[in-house]
Amino acid sequence: MDDSETARRALEHALEVFPDAEITVVHAVDDLEAAYGGGPAIPDAGGREDEPDFFADVRDLAAARGHGGDVETAVVEGTPADAVLEHAREGDADAIVMGSEGRSGVSRVLLGSVAEAVTRRASIPVTIVP
């Protein structure tokens, strides 16, 4: 989840297709981009006050959709594709649902598509939502 419109559509899709499943919404902080930006890579571990603002919207959307399962949130650090895949492996995920694009401009051209990298390397089903 990167607070893009495609990421939101991916969440809506996951809530619809997996209405009673445990869903973990992952925000990957690119450690290289964070380092060059001068800020901390991951918020200090201390609770919801340190999470991205859009995680509140994630919980609100799940509640509004009447999602019957748990919706967890996680902030992970690393190259986004690697971080998403590692989190899925460690969490024993059954599937990955993600937006088709989040980055734009030069960053996306130089670094490649996270969705493409996840799709190529995942050992579980990946659904890409446009």
Side-chain angles (χ1 to χ4, degrees), residues 61-81:
L61 179 61
R65 295 286 176 111
H67 183 69
D70 291 333
V71 175
E72 301 292 328
T73 56
V75 178
V76 295
E77 181 179 3
T79 305

Side-chain angles (χ1 to χ4, degrees), residues 26-35 38-47 49-52 55 73-79 83-84 86-87:
V26 176
H27 174 64
V29 177
D30 190 325
D31 47 2
L32 290 176
E33 287 184 16
I42 291 186
D44 294 332
E49 66 273 3
D50 294 326
E51 71 182 14
F55 274 177
T73 56
V75 178
V76 295
E77 181 179 3
T79 305
V84 167
E86 181 178 344
H87 194 272

